[in-house]
Amino acid sequence: MLDSTALPKIDENQSSNSMLYLSQADLINLGADHSSPYIEAIKAGLVQHANGNFVQPLKPYLRWQGADHIADRIIAMPCYLGGDQPVAGIKWVGSRHHNPSKFNKPRASALLVLNDTDTNYPIAVMEGSLISGMRTAAITVVAAQYLARKEFSSVSCIGCGPIAYMQLVSMLQQFQSIKCIHLFDFNREAATSLAEEIMSQFDVEFVISDTAEGCVKEGDVVITCTTADKPYLEYSWLKKGCFLSNVSIMDVKKDVFLKVDKVVVDDWDQCNREKKVINQLVLDGKFSRDQLHAELGEIVSGKVKGRENDEEVILLNPMGMAIDDLICAQYFYHKAISLKLGTELPL
């Protein structure tokens, strides 16, 4: 488990009148494009969450006229995380659905700011989209360690953009049992391109499905990576023993939450809001905190059991927590200071 001894030491003489800037290139030089640094950091953050050693206000969504798609928003994600090396900060993540087609840019961008908890002064600002995507993938990996069947061999992924790439590469880096990946995307070229890119790095078979249903039915593990604003995924599509990581949140129909054997979330309060599917079920009087199996941190910390047999169908609904971003950003900040990487900016 990540603790203070796992973090590189910070130079106590670093100027209090400056902060460190880390670009995406800096982060890649620090290893932030590989899944391994994220796994233990995410586990440590989840344990802190289970122990209540955090402050994490509900994240506000900033939208204005002309924001016509569910992905058109800027989200502020503040957090304080305690422990031997406390950290505070915020992720500021903006997204526009038309960015790829209109501006030839990725859909989402992000900045991460870290603050010293003694002075509350900013100590670092860094590009956040890489960490954001990779920590999201790490959540699926960590959850799969506890919620997927042992030695699962097939993964189905709906949506074939940058998030899908990070999810699948992280899974392949951490699970050697994966033999076949099934893909579906309305844009078949996106699926083909994703398969070719990953096959250049890993010895794994890819099957591109003609329908979302056909894709999902093949997966021991199913991952949603879309920008869907309406649920479409049916319970009947899920094979016995399936683990479903509902990364893109809005894909799974309401009745799936009621029919699966276990529903797990990262944070109940974060999930039960903004008219997402769980929140709709709660407002309808059909779901509650008592019906939830667990928050993921409770499982990682050993307080609640994860998968208990090979027949269970388990659904993870990870809304995304600032804790995840902050603890990973803290790790790379400490490593950058230790290796003297990044750019010092005056305040």
Side-chain angles (χ1 to χ4, degrees), residues 25-255:
D26 293 326
L27 290 166
I28 290 172
N29 285 336
L30 293 167
D33 58 344
H34 194 281
S35 61
S36 292
Y38 295 90
I39 305 303
E40 294 305 317
I42 287 294
K43 287 183 178 178
L46 288 169
V47 170
Q48 296 271 42
H49 182 266
N51 293 335
N53 197 11
F54 69 97
V55 179
Q56 184 174 249
L58 293 178
K59 50 191 178 186
Y61 287 67
L62 177 62
R63 293 188 174 97
W64 54 89
Q65 187 176 6
D68 301 321
H69 191 276
I70 191 172
D72 293 347
R73 74 287 187 274
I74 302 178
I75 306 174
M77 298 174 63
C79 180
Y80 164 83
L81 193 59
D84 294 337
Q85 291 278 349
V87 64
I90 189 169
K91 180 171 76 171
W92 182 243
V93 52
S95 171
R96 276 284 192 171
H97 184 62
H98 63 212
N99 279 346
S101 60
K102 189 173 182 179
F103 297 111
N104 196 30
K105 293 177 178 288
R107 178 180 61 81
S109 62
L111 284 177
L112 278 157
V113 179
L114 298 182
N115 293 75
D116 176 78
T117 56
D118 289 326
T119 65
N120 288 356
Y121 268 62
I123 54 174
V125 60
M126 63 190 76
E127 197 280 329
S129 64
L130 177 60
I131 289 176
S132 184
M134 290 297 291
R135 66 80 160 157
T136 303
I139 287 289
T140 296
V141 170
V142 170
Q145 292 175 348
Y146 295 88
L147 303 179
R149 288 191 296 107
K150 299 297 183 186
E151 299 301 312
F152 66 89
S153 60
S154 63
V155 175
S156 294
C157 184
I158 309 298
C160 296
I163 294 300
Y165 174 82
M166 293 184 197
Q167 291 276 328
L168 294 175
V169 167
S170 294
M171 291 290 285
L172 287 165
Q173 287 171 348
Q174 301 299 324
F175 295 103
Q176 295 184 358
S177 62
I178 299 173
K179 304 301 181 187
C180 185
I181 295 177
H182 297 262
L183 299 177
F184 174 75
D185 195 295
F186 287 121
N187 179 357
R188 192 177 182 88
E189 290 182 2
T192 300
S193 177
L194 178 62
E196 290 174 349
E197 186 172 7
I198 296 178
M199 282 192 295
S200 69
Q201 304 172 54
F202 298 92
D203 181 16
V204 62
E205 178 186 359
F206 275 86
V207 177
I208 299 176
S209 301
D210 293 325
T211 64
E213 178 180 358
C215 182
V216 170
K217 283 185 172 180
E218 298 295 331
D220 299 325
V221 171
V222 176
I223 308 171
T224 63
C225 301
T226 75
T227 55
D229 57 0
K230 293 180 181 179
Y232 60 88
L233 199 155
E234 307 269 2
Y235 176 76
S236 62
W237 298 1
L238 302 172
K239 65 198 294 189
K240 281 293 183 183
C242 173
F243 163 56
L244 167 57
S245 182
N246 187 30
V247 172
S248 41
I249 299 298
M250 289 301 292
D251 301 66
V252 177
K253 286 193 172 183
K254 289 181 182 180
D255 69 311

